[in-house]
């Protein structure tokens, strides 16, 4: 499941980025003594007292929204607040409470989100005492902190974690529905596919790339099976992500894949697969979701007698590491094969839940090792003792061996291919771990 989000907000030049770096334990944000240095949100995973969360640094919120850049920065901060589970409001003890602080406090009260008030730049005893002035904002106890020196950050993190742990737990659904994330580059037709499946304009469709900025959930029924579709914003290459809302949309798309059981990766049939498609697929594999490759806009592709076979070869050549993922050619415009796409996705969903018995697993792996023994390394012979499946979703297998360092990467891939040859797992990433068996290690 996605980590909870903690957003760090405040007016410009109150030390948010310095505090961000202190809380995540490394220098990740640009720090300068100039207002407006941070213009895009910056994300980093953090943990405190056993609680994991994602910390979001934002640009300063200013009352002056006449300048386009300042207005965009403020819009980003508001989006971060809307997404956050907890908001840390950073103020400046040296300047005291300002009218902008009061306006931001009002914005935060209206949001209904839990707020932790941080009074930054408390580098002296007098500045620590001055932090009591911020009680007037009506946001509870002000925590005097110094991002530069680290003073007070432990108490601040304790307060953040207390709010995270006090969040009401979502009620377990009466039934677990398959969740399918629709992802891809901008303008490949994700929202058009969603609307065609839902039967109405659930998402805004436009020829302008980047129209969809938030992940959208929609419940549909395919045959007798209810399922949830997650539409997402298009993901550009990192170097091409524009400053502003689009940067934020990438995180939303990645989080949607983390929530999904199966990812429908849309490719542009008119353009063909690209390196960015492979990059997006990497996010899905990392998240452990199932994967179906969906070639959209098939209605505009010039047809030849063997176009399906030829196009499949093109996709396989470009996305060679996804040779286990099924391919389907669809048209959101005409509805062609959208039902088949969902059939494939549901089959991948079922495959992702499979568990293989230990005896059956070991029968297959013993035969694979006998047919092709692992080569020796450094004068020592690797020995695969046994294997077991430790979890599903995604299927995860632990191989116990005499020494994991002796097993070359190519042989590990061979074992994975043997699992697929024996059990299939179409569209499902497999995770293999290799552990040393202590008694075998002692005998080696």
């Amino acid at each position: 499941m996605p980590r909870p989000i903690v957003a760090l907000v405040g007016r410009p030049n109150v030390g948010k980025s310095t505090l961000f770096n202190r809380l995540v334990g490394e220098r990740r944000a640009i720090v300068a003594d100039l207002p407006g240095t941070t213009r895009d949100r910056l994300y980093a995973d953090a943990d405190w007292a056993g609680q994991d969360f994602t910390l979001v640094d934002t640009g300063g919120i200013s009352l002056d929204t006449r300048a386009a850049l300042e207005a965009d920065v403020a819009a980003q901060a508001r989006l971060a607040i809307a997404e956050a589970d907890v908001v840390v409001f950073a103020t400046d003890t040296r300047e005291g409470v300002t009218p902008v602080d009061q306006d931001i406090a009002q914005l935060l009260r209206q949001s209904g989100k839990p707020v932790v008030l941080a009074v930054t730049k408390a580098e002296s005893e007098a500045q620590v005492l001055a932090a009591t002035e911020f009680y007037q904002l009506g946001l509870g106890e002000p925590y005097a902190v110094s991002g530069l020196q680290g003073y007070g950050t432990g108490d601040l993190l304790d307060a953040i974690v207390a709010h995270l742990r006090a969040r009401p737990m979502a009620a377990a659904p009466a039934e677990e529905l398959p969740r399918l994330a629709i992802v891809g580059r901008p303008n490949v037709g994700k929202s058009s596919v969603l609307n065609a499946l839902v039967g109405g304009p659930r998402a805004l469709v436009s020829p302008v790339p980047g129209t969809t900025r938030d992940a959208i959930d929609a419940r549909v029924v395919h045959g007798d099976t209810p399922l949830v579709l997650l539409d997402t914003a298009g993901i550009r290459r990192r170097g091409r992500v524009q400053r502003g809302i689009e940067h934020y949309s990438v995180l939303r798309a990645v989080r949607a894949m983390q929530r999904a059981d199966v990812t429908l990766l849309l490719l542009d049939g008119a353009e063909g697969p690209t390196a960015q498609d492979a990059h997006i697929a990497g996010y899905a594999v990392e998240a452990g979701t199932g994967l179906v490759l969906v070639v959209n806009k098939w209605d505009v592709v010039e047809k030849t007698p063997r176009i399906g076979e030829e196009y499949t070869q093109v996709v396989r050549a470009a996305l060679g590491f996804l040779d286990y993922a099924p391919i389907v050619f669809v048209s959101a415009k005409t509805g062609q094969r959208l039902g088949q796409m969902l059939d494939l996705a549901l089959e991948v969903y079922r495959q992702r839940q499979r568990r293989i018995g230990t005896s059956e697993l070991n029968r297959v792996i013993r035969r694979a090792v006998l047919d092709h023994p692992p080569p020796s390394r450094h004068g020592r012979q690797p020995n695969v003792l046994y294997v077991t499946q430790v979890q599903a979703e995604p299927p995860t297998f632990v191989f116990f061996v005499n020494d994991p360092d002796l097993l070359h990467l190519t042989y590990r891939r061979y074992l994975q291919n043997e699992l697929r040859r024996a059990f299939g797992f179409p569209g499902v990433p497999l995770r293999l771990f290799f552990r040393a068996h202590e008694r075998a290690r002692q005998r080696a």
Side-chain angles (χ1 to χ4, degrees), residues 237-394:
R237 292 198 308 273
R238 290 181 182 177
R240 296 187 60 186
V241 175
Q242 298 175 357
R243 289 182 173 180
I245 296 172
E246 186 181 353
H247 182 87
Y248 185 66
S249 300
V250 174
L251 179 69
R252 296 298 299 272
V254 172
R255 283 166 61 86
M257 284 186 273
Q258 292 173 345
R259 292 195 297 127
D261 299 299
V262 179
T263 293
L264 302 174
L265 174 57
L266 263 63
L267 312 177
D268 192 318
E271 295 183 11
T274 69
Q276 178 61 0
D277 294 323
H279 181 67
I280 297 169
Y283 281 125
V285 173
E286 183 178 347
T289 74
L291 193 64
V292 177
L293 302 178
V294 182
V295 181
N296 190 29
K297 306 181 184 179
W298 195 241
D299 56 298
V300 302
V301 175
E302 184 178 352
K303 304 301 188 292
T304 64
R306 299 182 63 249
I307 184 61
E309 298 174 21
E310 293 169 353
Y311 209 108
T312 296
Q313 292 176 1
V314 170
V315 173
R316 294 299 185 202
L319 306 174
F321 68 102
L322 301 176
D323 56 355
Y324 63 87
I327 302 174
V328 61
F329 303 96
V330 308
S331 168
K333 183 176 181 180
T334 67
Q336 182 183 19
R337 298 194 188 91
L338 292 181
Q340 182 181 341
M341 176 189 72
L342 293 182
D343 288 338
L344 282 171
L346 290 173
E347 175 58 24
V348 170
Y349 170 77
R350 289 187 286 269
Q351 291 288 328
R352 188 170 176 264
Q353 297 178 314
R354 284 182 66 192
R355 286 186 175 271
I356 309 299
T358 299
S359 60
E360 191 175 4
L361 273 175
N362 283 279
R363 178 184 57 81
V364 168
I365 293 303
R366 278 196 298 268
R367 172 55 58 186
V369 172
L370 286 173
D371 291 344
H372 181 47
S376 61
R377 297 188 70 185
H378 311 299
R380 298 179 60 197
Q381 180 63 40
N383 187 11
V384 180
L385 302 174
Y386 65 96
V387 59
T388 184
Q389 183 177 356
V390 294
Q391 73 173 54
E393 301 182 271

Side-chain angles (χ1 to χ4, degrees), residues 8 19 88-92 116-120 141-145 156:
L8 185 56
L19 181 59
V88 176
F89 177 23
T91 58
D92 188 339
V116 179
L117 179 58
V119 185
T120 67
E141 180 181 356
Y143 290 87
V145 299
L156 179 68

Side-chain angles (χ1 to χ4, degrees), residues 111-129:
S111 74
K113 297 297 178 72
V115 178
V116 179
L117 179 58
V119 185
T120 67
K121 305 180 184 179
E123 273 96 40
S124 70
E125 184 176 351
Q127 289 163 346
V128 171
L129 293 174

